[in-house]
Amino acid sequence: MKCSLLYYSRQMLKTVCAVALFMATVPAQAQVTVSASIDSTQILVGEQAKLHLEISMDANQKLRLPILNDTLVTGVEIVDIATPDTQMLNDDKRWLITQDYTLTSFDSAFYYLPPLEVMVNDQKYRSESLALKVYSFPVDTLHPDQFYGPKPIQEVPITWNDVSTMVYALILMLLLGAAAIFFVIRFYNNKPIIKIIKIEPKLPPHQVAMKRIEEIKADKNVQREDPKLYYTELTDVLRSYIEERFGFKALEMTSSEIIEHLLEQKDKESIKDLKNLFEVADLVKFAKHSPLMNENDMNLVNAVDFINETKVEEDPNAKKEPTEIKVEEKRSKQGRIALMCSIGVTSVAAIFALYVVIRELINLFF
């Protein structure tokens, strides 16, 4: 009895070990899958078909793809072998590797394509086998009179699309060639360049001053919003007028210095209002004084009165014609360099356009 129990115990232990070993090996076997497919199982002679090989494996395993030459089986040739493509799956824990083979055949037959064999961790895995049927072109050998001979050569009409590039290149070549010739002539014809400059007659100082005062008067916003700018522009007009009218550098002088020079030429009473204007302007510009609107208007009137009192009237019958001045300028070194560069650029561009014309002619007629 004891021997029987011992025997059955050993048998049960072996069975459990075998099941455990089987369960341990099943996942390992399931870690690698190899499959093959073909996009077309039937082709005509000379046509091509794609054989698609796909391997799924763990990322830490080593793969060796099948080494194939130019023939898969007798009668089926390998035209091209694409570069393998790898995709990462399951957070980079699995790899899906694909390989495409382009097949063709020139003999009509039914071909058996054997399984493709790959090596994963030095262990062989095979895909399923496939089949490929190659058909030939049907030829009616019983009625040879139905075969037609070669067709005659057809004349193809020339369209605008055929010659447009050549025409545009020809026009561009002519323009660039003419420009290059012009620059060459200008380069060797080194005559001085004569310029005629017209100088318009200069307005008298009082007219220039009155024109600028009218512009200041028209801008009411400056008087209200920025009195400093208003008085700066007004006194600049007066300084320019005084410098032109009396002949001393009023633009470089202070207000008191201008008044002192004017007192040497005019009486004190005649420039009293002008002195008050300069004093208010200095207070506004340097002491942040805020004058009233009527005070601004009064100072503008004082400036106009001073100009009218001191202006020099010209003969109204005298008509001043604009003077013309002839200026001769020789071409500088920079000008000659610019001409040389222009000659080079236009010449090269014209030669390139000529090349395009010749190329289009050859493509059109030969």
Side-chain angles (χ1 to χ4, degrees):
M1 185 67 178
K2 290 182 179 180
C3 293
S4 299
L5 290 174
L6 182 61
Y7 172 76
Y8 287 120
S9 299
R10 288 179 179 176
Q11 292 295 326
M12 183 64 69
L13 181 61
K14 289 181 181 180
T15 303
V16 171
C17 292
V19 171
L21 181 62
F22 175 76
M23 294 299 293
T25 57
V26 168
Q29 296 293 334
Q31 289 178 352
V32 179
T33 59
V34 181
S35 62
S37 62
I38 192 167
D39 61 352
S40 179
T41 58
Q42 298 180 359
I43 61 172
L44 290 172
V45 170
E47 286 186 339
Q48 296 180 354
K50 291 282 187 179
L51 177 61
H52 184 74
L53 177 63
E54 187 175 277
I55 304 102
S56 177
M57 54 184 280
D58 288 341
N60 58 355
Q61 294 179 308
K62 295 181 180 179
L63 171 67
R64 189 171 65 188
L65 291 169
I67 300 174
L68 301 176
N69 297 320
D70 56 354
T71 302
L72 184 60
V73 294
T74 303
V76 178
E77 300 178 6
I78 299 176
V79 178
D80 180 62
I81 301 176
T83 303
D85 180 57
T86 303
Q87 298 182 33
M88 302 295 184
L89 304 175
N90 298 340
D91 297 328
D92 297 343
K93 295 180 181 179
R94 296 282 295 174
W95 286 355
L96 181 63
I97 302 170
T98 57
Q99 172 95 62
D100 287 338
Y101 302 88
T102 304
L103 309 178
T104 190
S105 177
F106 297 96
D107 293 323
S108 59
F110 183 82
Y111 295 98
Y112 166 76
L113 305 182
L116 296 177
E117 186 176 274
V118 300
M119 299 288 291
V120 178
N121 285 350
D122 297 329
Q123 186 173 351
K124 294 181 180 180
Y125 294 89
R126 291 186 176 184
S127 68
E128 59 269 30
S129 59
L130 300 171
L132 178 65
K133 177 65 176 177
V134 181
Y135 293 94
S136 62
F137 292 97
V139 178
D140 189 0
T141 57
L142 300 177
H143 303 86
D145 54 328
Q146 293 183 359
F147 291 96
Y148 299 99
K151 297 291 184 180
I153 298 175
Q154 299 291 324
E155 294 291 336
V156 179
I158 298 176
T159 63
W160 170 248
N161 291 333
D162 298 329
V163 299
S164 58
T165 304
M166 181 179 63
V167 172
Y168 292 139
L170 181 62
I171 294 173
L172 183 62
M173 182 196 70
L174 294 176
L175 293 175
L176 291 171
I181 294 171
F182 171 76
F183 289 133
V184 170
I185 294 173
R186 287 292 304 275
F187 180 80
Y188 287 103
N189 186 14
N190 193 21
K191 291 182 179 180
I193 302 171
I194 299 175
K195 292 183 178 179
I196 299 176
I197 303 175
K198 272 190 177 182
I199 301 178
E200 295 294 333
K202 188 177 180 181
L203 293 175
H206 67 275
Q207 292 185 11
V208 176
M210 293 300 294
K211 185 177 180 181
R212 292 181 61 188
I213 285 177
E214 288 297 326
E215 293 175 356
I216 296 172
K217 183 179 178 182
D219 194 352
K220 297 293 184 181
N221 293 330
V222 176
Q223 296 185 38
R224 291 193 301 267
E225 299 174 2
D226 196 349
K228 182 178 179 180
L229 177 61
Y230 170 74
Y231 278 98
T232 299
E233 293 179 351
L234 184 59
T235 53
D236 286 346
V237 172
L238 288 172
R239 288 170 184 272
S240 299
Y241 167 74
I242 292 170
E243 184 170 312
E244 292 287 334
R245 170 65 180 81
F246 296 99
F248 60 88
K249 297 182 178 180
L251 290 170
E252 301 176 5
M253 296 180 179
T254 62
S255 301
S256 58
E257 290 175 343
I258 293 173
I259 298 299
E260 290 177 4
H261 277 74
L262 289 175
L263 286 173
E264 296 175 0
Q265 303 182 33
K266 298 183 68 64
D267 59 89
K268 187 175 182 180
E269 190 65 29
S270 62
I271 61 173
K272 180 180 178 181
D273 294 336
L274 181 66
K275 182 179 178 181
N276 292 334
L277 188 154
F278 275 117
E279 288 176 352
V280 173
D282 290 340
L283 289 173
V284 172
K285 289 189 287 184
F286 305 113
K288 297 183 179 180
H289 173 64
S290 299
L292 299 175
M293 183 62 70
N294 58 352
E295 190 177 1
N296 294 340
D297 295 335
M298 182 184 67
N299 286 324
L300 185 69
V301 172
N302 292 337
V304 173
D305 291 341
F306 174 77
I307 294 171
N308 288 329
E309 291 173 2
T310 57
K311 67 181 179 181
V312 177
E313 293 288 353
E314 296 184 348
D315 185 5
N317 297 323
K319 185 179 180 181
K320 290 187 177 181
E321 297 291 339
T323 56
E324 293 184 353
I325 300 177
K326 290 186 177 180
V327 181
E328 291 189 0
E329 296 181 356
K330 289 188 177 180
R331 189 173 293 121
S332 62
K333 183 179 179 181
Q334 289 81 3
R336 292 177 64 84
I337 292 174
L339 282 175
M340 292 177 64
C341 294
S342 301
I343 293 170
V345 171
T346 51
S347 300
V348 171
I351 292 172
F352 179 76
L354 177 61
Y355 160 75
V356 173
V357 172
I358 295 174
R359 185 191 64 188
E360 292 295 323
L361 282 173
I362 294 173
N363 293 337
L364 188 61
F365 296 106
F366 298 98

